[in-house]
Amino acid sequence: MSLLHSARATPLRSCIAGVRHYAVKKPDQTSDPIRETLRRVLYPANVKNRASPVGTWRPDVARALQRAIPSVQAHDTIERAWLLHRRYLRKQREAELARKFERMREAMDELYKLDQTLYMEANRSDDPRAKSQQEMEMMKKMKMSEVRTLEARVPGLFPRELRIPTETPPRDGWNYEYKPFQRPL
Amino acid sequence: MLSRHVLKQVGSCPRAARRAFATEVSSSPASSENVAQSVRPKKSEKPRISTAVILNRSPILTKAPTPFETAFYSYQARIRRALSNPFPHDFYFKQGSLLQTRFNLEERQREKRAFGPSFLPTEDVDPEKAAADKAAVEQLAQQEGEGEELTSRTHKADLTNDVKSLDRKGQRNLYLLLLAEENGKDVWRFPQGGLEKGDLLHQAAQKDLFAECGEQMDTWIVGRNPIGVYKPKPASNEPQDHVFFFKGHIMAGQVHVDGQRVKDFAWLTKEEIGEKVDKDYWEVVSDILSDC
């Protein structure tokens, strides 16, 4: 009984069809264009019977699609051609990797037959955190900045100087004037 | 034969030779022959290990899409444009601002390009106002400036075909090839060298690279495992040579050859290497190099 009474006591909603109760504009609020835009964007109308910037497709979607797609058969053919193209690239890549791996395996087999110690050493993996004896000796004679350069290249991990390919090359091109830095082997 | 190795061999051989012939003086000639014969086959059986480095300059540029790929991407973009919501320009731009006008003009251009000029309904805008808008947008473009000129994807080295340049063929993998003298002939091969005592294979590879190509490069040998092995046909009585290849990357610097044993160098793509190198060498190496 009290619930019904409290429901009747709340003011009737203003007539914005399809907008949630919390998004309704209170009658005593000033109309600020920014607020209106925000409200419209954040709480789009549930009923989508006309064009709106958010929450519905463009009104001429059927006409636009007709312009974009030549025909159902053409679209399917294009799809198939694309998948075939991707498959071709994938198979090429996989074949190349298989060839490279085969050569690696062959090399390791030969090494195994030739020299056991070299083979065992080649198979061992580097611990990135370990500092070799040579490194420790080098660090004693170097300045602090050089030590940082030395520690920057972690054995067993890719160096950070390996550049990722980009759309356009660097403005200055390749760095031919590189000053060598002695690193432990 | 191999620069670092020569001194060591000269050092070791006389001693071994002296030891072999030491018995000749004391004993009879027949027994000395037997001793000499027993020493020689052991030497020819012992195989020789050398290390070589395939130094790679990774691609600098992304691959250019093929005509089919470009066509497919623009086709998909058209479909996506047809299916997506119109951009809420009145939310993202201030109402009536110049940027909004510019955006709407550009958007109209994009729609025309996607669906054809006859697709959009003609705007019922005052022609004077339209002209004024256009002029204002052009002025804005002038004020903003040209923008930075992007570097061209083809370098000068591509046009002159300078094989020593590391800027040539930005999209491809380049590998270092040396013109060296071996047994009197000039052969193109990868940097190679012998194995010192106590060295591991990947350490020897790094040392050989510096010995043959100079130290003015920032290189990195990938891991400890060899990526290939080349066994040239040995001449009669010679021990079998094993050349283990290691992959390396160059990040900066350039090769400096001494010009005596190593006469020349070149940074080449896979096909260009195939043209220069011996046939049995190529059989092994072609599987290791990347196509693209």
Side-chain angles (χ1 to χ4, degrees), chain B residues 39 85 281:
Chain B
V39 168
N85 301 333
Y281 198 70

Side-chain angles (χ1 to χ4, degrees), chain A residues 113-114, chain B residues 42-49 239-242:
Chain A
K113 284 186 223 154
L114 282 179
Chain B
K42 212 197 269 185
K43 274 201 155 195
S44 66
E45 273 171 23
K46 187 159 185 256
R48 281 207 299 257
I49 303 180
Q240 168 75 59
D241 230 340
H242 296 258

Side-chain angles (χ1 to χ4, degrees), chain A residues 103-171:
Chain A
R103 288 291 170 192
M104 267 187 90
R105 202 187 52 77
E106 210 180 287
M108 290 307 274
D109 285 343
E110 279 299 321
L111 188 59
Y112 181 75
K113 284 186 223 154
L114 282 179
D115 192 327
Q116 285 289 321
T117 39
L118 285 177
Y119 176 80
M120 298 307 286
E121 284 297 321
N123 268 328
R124 185 191 306 174
S125 50
D126 279 319
D127 181 13
R129 291 165 298 178
K131 285 205 177 73
S132 67
Q133 193 67 12
Q134 198 185 7
E135 260 190 71
M136 300 290 274
E137 283 168 28
M138 283 176 88
M139 276 170 67
K140 286 176 198 163
K141 299 171 199 162
M142 279 196 252
K143 293 186 281 188
M144 204 51 216
S145 58
E146 289 179 344
V147 169
R148 260 181 257 133
T149 321
L150 181 69
E151 289 186 334
R153 195 162 292 182
V154 182
L157 301 182
F158 283 89
R160 62 192 77 188
E161 286 86 10
L162 273 178
R163 195 175 170 278
I164 297 169
T166 48
E167 280 270 333
T168 50
R171 227 175 299 130

Side-chain angles (χ1 to χ4, degrees), chain B residues 125-199:
Chain B
V125 186
D126 186 23
E128 280 175 14
K129 188 172 182 298
D133 282 340
K134 204 161 160 228
V137 164
E138 274 171 17
Q139 201 185 35
L140 179 67
Q142 269 185 8
Q143 280 173 0
E144 279 185 341
E146 274 287 318
E148 277 185 31
E149 271 285 320
L150 291 172
T151 336
S152 160
R153 277 168 76 94
T154 44
H155 195 260
K156 195 177 62 161
D158 277 308
L159 304 166
T160 56
N161 217 18
D162 176 17
V163 286
K164 290 197 172 36
S165 166
L166 279 156
D167 294 301
R168 190 177 78 102
K169 303 241 178 203
Q171 294 179 46
R172 303 287 309 275
N173 277 296
L174 292 182
Y175 299 97
L176 175 66
L177 210 62
L178 301 178
L179 178 64
E181 199 184 307
E182 270 183 30
N183 304 330
K185 281 193 297 176
D186 281 344
V187 284
W188 283 98
R189 60 160 174 75
F190 292 112
Q192 198 176 309
L195 190 64
E196 271 171 15
K197 210 178 164 129
D199 258 351

Side-chain angles (χ1 to χ4, degrees), chain A residues 37-38 40-41 52-61 63-65 67-70 74-75 78-79 81-82 85 89 96 99-100 103-104 106-108 110-111 114-115 118 121-126 153 156-159 161-171 173-178 180 182-183 185, chain B residues 47 49 57-62 66 68-69 72-73 75-76 78-79 81-86 88 90-91 111 115-116 118-119 148 150-153 165-167 195 199-201 203 206-207 215-220 224-229 231 242 244 249-254 283-284 287-291:
Chain A
T37 320
L38 265 173
R40 194 163 39 83
V41 168
S52 82
V54 261
T56 190
W57 288 352
R58 49 193 295 160
D60 50 355
V61 62
R63 210 163 61 88
L65 260 183
R67 289 283 187 129
I69 299 179
H75 183 76
I78 294 169
E79 267 304 305
W82 181 248
H85 173 65
L89 292 177
E96 192 185 293
R99 282 197 299 267
K100 287 182 179 172
R103 288 291 170 192
M104 267 187 90
E106 210 180 287
M108 290 307 274
E110 279 299 321
L111 188 59
L114 282 179
D115 192 327
L118 285 177
E121 284 297 321
N123 268 328
R124 185 191 306 174
S125 50
D126 279 319
R153 195 162 292 182
L157 301 182
F158 283 89
E161 286 86 10
L162 273 178
R163 195 175 170 278
I164 297 169
T166 48
E167 280 270 333
T168 50
R171 227 175 299 130
W174 186 265
N175 174 22
Y176 290 101
E177 278 83 43
Y178 168 74
Q182 279 288 339
R183 283 187 197 276
L185 288 174
Chain B
I49 303 180
R57 188 229 64 189
S58 309
I60 299 174
L61 303 172
T62 49
T66 60
F68 174 52
E69 282 171 10
F72 181 77
Y73 292 145
Y75 174 66
Q76 290 289 316
R78 253 177 288 146
I79 296 176
R81 179 173 273 280
L83 292 176
S84 19
N85 301 333
D90 50 351
F91 176 71
E111 290 270 301
F115 302 122
S118 56
F119 179 74
E148 277 185 31
L150 291 172
T151 336
S152 160
R153 277 168 76 94
S165 166
L166 279 156
D167 294 301
L195 190 64
D199 258 351
L200 298 176
L201 277 178
Q203 292 168 340
Q206 181 76 310
K207 283 187 191 170
E215 303 207 6
Q216 311 270 337
M217 309 180 283
D218 187 8
T219 53
W220 178 67
R224 299 165 153 240
N225 299 33
I227 56 172
V229 66
K231 295 189 285 203
H242 296 258
F244 286 99
H249 285 275
I250 179 168
M251 281 89 73
Q254 178 62 295
E283 264 187 51
V284 174
D287 288 338
I288 304 176
L289 304 181
S290 301
D291 278 328

